Amino acid sequence: DTGVSQDPRHKITKRGQNVTFRCDPISEHNRLYWYRQTLGQGPEFLTYFQNEAQLEKSRLLSDRFSAERPKGSFSTLEIQRTEQGDSAMYLCASSSDGGPVKAFFGQGTRLTVV
Amino acid sequence: GNSVTQMEGPVTLSEEAFLTINCTYTATGYPSLFWYVQYPGEGLQLLLKATKADDKGSNKGFEATYRKETTSFHLEKGSVQVSDSAVYFCALSPLSGANSKLTFGKGITLSVRP
């Protein structure tokens, strides 16, 4: 068990470009979450998967954002037509069924839009 | 909706000083409460948790007690070390429902001087 893995760790992109991030959860965890953290703030929920089903999306997730989790394993988060306001740390977390929740976080992908 | 309020920071203490970081929450029902820590250059890590009223979570000398009557979950440590310098986040998660997403406070930066 190597924990939650995210790739890349850092991404610099020009405004208007598309970017895609990957998250590999802990293997036996069926729940997967994406959060966004901006400077000086706590992480904010973006979206949630249970296995391959995307069960909830935050209002923060505009139409330019899309997330997938094919086969209930790894997940990708794509941002189309990036804007400077998208610059943030994107965090992935996973957890197992049953409560109470104890989520394990990856180290995050830091996105800088220039 | 659910929300978490943390005291304003940053906090600077001398080694061996007593630490208290305040956290209050607003939630429906009976959430689980958490403290997460983010050390410099690392991902979020669970520090401790409590799942019901009057529960005390503890880890690495840190403690927090779930106070339903005051909707609080203050973090304390009797004697801080330089290695405790980090950002601390209070968070909550609903016990019920398929999505146990975390709602975080803004976080507070703790710096401990030798």
Side-chain angles (χ1 to χ4, degrees):
Chain A
D1 177 5
T2 57
V4 178
S5 174
Q6 291 188 247
D7 183 70
R9 294 289 307 282
H10 303 274
K11 179 71 176 179
I12 300 174
T13 191
K14 291 185 179 179
R15 191 173 52 188
Q17 297 295 304
N18 299 344
V19 293
T20 300
F21 311 140
R22 177 177 169 125
C23 171
D24 287 273
I26 293 172
S27 56
E28 65 268 24
H29 286 180
N30 64 340
R31 299 183 181 193
L32 187 146
Y33 306 80
W34 286 98
Y35 291 83
R36 182 173 68 187
Q37 185 179 12
T38 53
L39 199 61
Q41 301 295 317
E44 295 173 292
F45 170 78
L46 292 179
T47 190
Y48 157 67
F49 289 86
Q50 183 153 340
N51 300 310
E52 66 275 11
Q54 187 174 20
L55 297 184
E56 186 174 346
K57 293 194 293 186
S58 161
R59 290 172 296 174
L60 294 175
L61 216 63
S62 75
D63 291 344
R64 297 183 296 104
F65 287 70
S66 63
E68 294 182 341
R69 192 182 182 198
K71 301 179 183 177
S73 56
F74 70 92
S75 176
T76 59
L77 177 67
E78 181 183 17
I79 309 174
Q80 296 182 326
R81 305 182 303 283
T82 52
E83 301 172 357
Q84 286 190 320
D86 297 331
S87 296
M89 178 76 84
Y90 290 84
L91 299 172
C92 177
S94 70
S95 68
S96 55
D97 259 342
V101 167
K102 187 172 116 174
F104 292 83
F105 282 80
Q107 291 189 289
T109 293
R110 181 168 295 284
L111 173 66
T112 303
V113 182
V114 298
Chain B
N2 299 333
S3 67
V4 175
T5 303
Q6 292 186 232
M7 58 184 279
E8 293 289 324
V11 172
T12 302
L13 296 173
S14 296
E15 205 165 23
E16 299 183 3
F18 183 83
L19 168 72
T20 298
I21 301 177
N22 289 344
C23 170
T24 57
Y25 67 90
T26 302
T28 53
Y30 302 95
S32 290
L33 301 174
F34 306 83
W35 277 99
Y36 278 83
V37 59
Q38 193 169 33
Y39 296 104
E42 298 186 16
L44 275 170
Q45 300 174 28
L46 178 66
L47 180 59
L48 54 84
K49 64 178 173 68
T51 59
K52 60 183 187 294
D54 300 326
D55 263 5
K56 179 184 284 187
S58 61
N59 186 26
K60 299 182 180 180
F62 290 90
E63 291 183 341
T65 301
Y66 190 141
R67 300 287 188 202
K68 184 172 176 295
E69 64 277 12
T70 54
T71 62
S72 66
F73 193 54
H74 305 322
L75 183 68
E76 296 183 335
K77 186 174 186 181
S79 175
V80 294
Q81 305 301 311
V82 172
S83 58
D84 294 327
S85 298
V87 183
Y88 292 81
F89 295 93
C90 186
L92 68 81
S93 176
L95 270 180
S96 60
N99 177 2
S100 297
K101 65 186 179 188
L102 290 161
T103 299
F104 287 88
K106 287 189 174 182
I108 187 168
T109 300
L110 170 67
S111 298
V112 180
R113 300 186 295 243

